[in-house]
Amino acid sequence: MGTTGTVRIGVLDLQGAVSEHLEAVEAAGGAAVPVKRPEQLAGLDGLIIPGGESTTIGRLMEEYGFTEAVPEAAGEGLAVYGTCAGLIVMAREIEDGVPGQPCLGLMDIGVVRNGFGRQVDSFEADLVLKGLPGGPFRGVFIRAPYVKRLGAGVEALADFDGKVVMVRQGRCLATAFHPELTGDPRVHQYFLEMAARAGEGR
Amino acid sequence: MTVGTAKAGNDERTGAGRAERAEKGTWRVKKGLAEMLKGGVIMDVTTPEQARIAEEAGAVAVMALERVPADIRAAGGVARMADPAVILEIMEAVTIPVMAKARIGHFVEAQILEALGVDYIDESEVLTPADEEHHIDKHRFKVPFVCGARNLGEALRRIAEGAAMVRTKGEPGTGNVVEAVRHMRAMMSEIRKLAGMAEDEVAAEAKRLGAPLELVREVKRLGRLPVVNFSAGGIATPADAALMMQLGADGIFVGSGIFKSKDPEARARAIVRATTHYNEPEVLAEVSKGLGEAMRGIEIATIRPEERMQDRGW
C-alpha cells in the first residue's frame, strides 16, 4: 500500500468490462490502473479480473505470462477479485470448460460455466451479501457461472436459487454477478478493504 | 460442500424473508452482455468446425451463418436467416456466445432465433431487408439485438428501437476497410461535436440527426454512445482491426476476412491479439508476420449502387 493511503487496484485489461471496473474502483475511493503486462503487477495492492469471455481471457493470460505471474503475486500478498469470467479463471476446476482452458487455481473451488443458461436466461435479482452493510444488493447475472464445490477454507458470501454466487478465500474474492454494472460501490469497497489489509500484511 | 441445483419455487429457503425473484431480459443484462464482449473479436462462421477454430483462437463470440458476406455478395438473390439446423449445430459446438442474423424488419425471423436460444440477434444489412420502412421493435424481445449504423443519428434510432449494441456498418464482404473507417470517423466526430455544444443547441442537433432528444442528451453527457459500439464490414488484417480500435471501436466483427483467407487459424489468432494490443505497434508487427494471403478485396467504386449493403436500413 502506498504511503498516501490510497489503495492501488489493477484491472486486468486483456478483454471484457475493463472501463466499468476502473470507474467502480475510483468510485469506491481507490486508485485504478489498467494492467496489460505482468510487470505492471508490481506495487499493486489488488487485482481485478473482469467479466468477459473466460476462454479468451484465459488464453491471453497464458500467452502473456499472467498464469504464472498472478498466482506468484497472490502468494506474496496481492488481493485478487474476479467477476463472472474472472471467477472462472480463478477456480481450481472448471466444469464444461473448453479443453486447454487455463485456470489459475487461486481459490479451492469448482465452477460451472454458463450455470444459469444462455443469454435469454440472463437475469437481475436482489441478493443478500454476507458481511456487507446496507440491505440487498442488485445482482446482474450475464451467462453467469456458479460455484459448485467449495474447498475447506472457502466461505460462501451469497447464493441465489440454491447456487453459490459469491465466495471468499483469504485474500481472494469472486462473484458470479457484476457489481461494476450497478453503480453500487459496496462490493468494490469490500474488496478495497481486503486489499488494504493484504498490503499491511506484506 | 456441494450445492444442489434447486429450481426457484422448490427452494425451501426462499421463504426466509428473501426476495429471490429473477428478472430476465432487462435492459441491463442485454446491454451487459455486449459490455462483456468489449476488446474482443466476433467471427462469422458457417460450420461447427469453423466455430471451434474461432473459439480456440480466442474469439469472444461467433456469428452463425450459412454463408459469409463475401459469398452472399457473390451469390446474389435474396439472402435470408440461416437454417436453424446450422445455427443449432454451431451452438452445440462452442461454449462462447452465438449470434445469428435476421433480415431488417423481419421480426418473425427474430422470433425464431429467440426460440432457438441464440445469445444475440444481428438485425443485419448483410441480408436482404424484409421491410424498407420499419426496423424490428427490439424492446419486445428478451434476447438482445445488435444493429449496424453509418453515423450517430442512425445508431441512436436503432438504440431507440431497443438495440443493446451497435456496430458501424462498413461494406460487408469486401475485405476493404475504407467504409468501416468512414462510418467510425463520422460517428466519433459527431459525438465530439455534441460534447462541445451548448445545451440550447442540442434540440436542433437532435432534429438534424433524426434521433430522440433524450438519447442525444445522454450521448452529450457520457461523451460516447450509451451502448457498446463495435466495428464491422471490411476488416481483413490485424492492422485493420487495430486501426478500428484506435479510431474508437469497442471491439471488432470479422466476417469474410478470416475464413476467406489462406490460413484462417493463424489469421484469427493474430486479429484477436491485435485487438487486445491495438496500441502497441511492436505487438502488431509481431502478430502480422507470415499470415499468408488475406482475402481478395473489392474496390468500393466497382460495386453497383444496388449492391451496396450499407445503404440498407435508414
Side-chain angles (χ1 to χ4, degrees), chain B residues 28-288:
Chain B
R28 199 144 55 177
V29 301
K30 287 175 166 181
K31 202 176 123 169
L33 178 55
E35 277 150 3
M36 298 309 137
L37 303 176
K38 285 195 301 184
V41 182
I42 300 167
M43 301 181 192
D44 278 5
V45 298
T46 57
T47 64
E49 173 61 12
Q50 288 183 355
R52 278 188 288 265
I53 291 172
E55 184 176 54
E56 180 66 31
V60 290
V62 291
M63 179 76 70
L65 295 167
E66 257 175 88
R67 283 182 293 202
V68 295
D71 291 336
I72 290 174
R73 189 178 284 288
V78 175
R80 310 178 180 90
M81 174 187 81
D83 182 337
V86 172
I87 297 168
L88 287 171
E89 269 177 21
I90 289 168
M91 286 167 63
E92 274 297 302
V94 291
T95 62
I96 55 178
V98 176
M99 301 183 165
K101 289 185 195 290
R103 282 180 265 178
I104 290 172
H106 205 315
F107 53 86
V108 173
E109 284 188 348
Q111 289 165 4
I112 292 169
L113 294 175
E114 183 175 58
L116 293 175
V118 303
D119 296 298
Y120 239 95
I121 295 176
D122 183 3
E123 186 182 17
S124 178
E125 67 280 6
V126 167
L127 305 182
T128 311
D131 191 325
E132 293 186 338
E133 223 171 315
H134 308 285
H135 284 251
I136 297 170
D137 177 2
K138 294 165 274 285
H139 291 295
R140 290 193 190 180
F141 291 79
K142 272 198 180 123
V143 62
F145 281 76
V146 54
C147 288
R150 288 160 298 180
N151 50 49
L152 181 59
E154 195 172 6
L156 295 181
R157 288 192 289 277
R158 297 294 84 78
I159 296 167
E161 294 158 0
M165 178 180 185
V166 166
R167 54 174 177 73
T168 48
K169 284 176 168 173
E171 188 58 37
T174 59
N176 188 339
V177 80
V178 66
E179 296 300 302
V181 169
R182 188 191 316 283
H183 300 156
M184 188 57 75
R185 278 205 183 271
M187 203 176 288
M188 291 299 159
S189 130
E190 284 172 314
I191 291 171
R192 281 190 294 268
K193 183 177 156 209
L194 198 56
M197 212 171 253
E199 283 303 330
D200 61 1
E201 294 168 342
V202 176
E205 181 66 2
K207 187 179 166 196
R208 190 191 70 79
L209 291 169
L213 180 56
E214 319 82 74
L215 282 176
V216 177
R217 285 211 174 106
E218 197 179 350
V219 172
K220 178 170 169 54
R221 186 171 54 79
L222 296 171
R224 57 177 163 78
L225 284 184
V227 302
V228 164
N229 181 26
F230 272 44
S231 176
I235 294 153
T237 68
D240 288 349
L243 173 66
M244 298 317 299
M245 292 296 288
Q246 288 197 27
L247 285 172
D250 290 318
I252 301 293
F253 278 92
V254 188
S256 319
I258 290 172
F259 291 100
K260 283 281 155 192
S261 74
K262 202 141 206 174
D263 185 352
E265 279 179 79
R267 187 161 295 267
R269 287 174 51 84
I271 292 177
V272 169
R273 272 89 195 143
T275 303
T276 300
H277 295 282
Y278 66 91
N279 250 336
E280 298 167 69
E282 315 77 51
V283 177
L284 300 176
E286 188 56 39
V287 302
S288 300

Side-chain angles (χ1 to χ4, degrees), chain A residues 62-80:
Chain A
E62 193 158 57
E63 221 168 284
Y64 294 102
F66 282 105
T67 38
E68 295 90 46
V70 173
E72 202 180 297
E76 289 163 10
L78 180 77
V80 185

Side-chain angles (χ1 to χ4, degrees), chain A residues 15-16 19-20 36-37 52-53 56 63-64 113-114 118-119 121 123-125 138 143 159 161-162 181, chain B residues 3 6-8 13 18 20 23-24 26 28-29 36 38 58-60 95 117 119 273 276-277 280:
Chain A
Q15 190 272 315
S19 60
E20 289 80 357
K36 274 192 188 273
R37 299 276 171 195
E53 263 312 304
T56 309
E63 221 168 284
Y64 294 102
R113 290 183 66 202
N114 305 333
R118 303 191 71 97
Q119 173 63 14
D121 300 309
F123 65 97
E124 292 182 37
R138 194 68 174 163
R143 288 172 47 97
D159 56 36
D161 200 8
L181 300 184
Chain B
V3 176
K7 290 272 174 290
R13 283 175 299 174
R18 311 189 348 174
E20 285 204 357
E23 273 185 78
K24 293 184 182 179
T26 62
R28 199 144 55 177
V29 301
M36 298 309 137
K38 285 195 301 184
V60 290
T95 62
D119 296 298
R273 272 89 195 143
T276 300
H277 295 282
E280 298 167 69

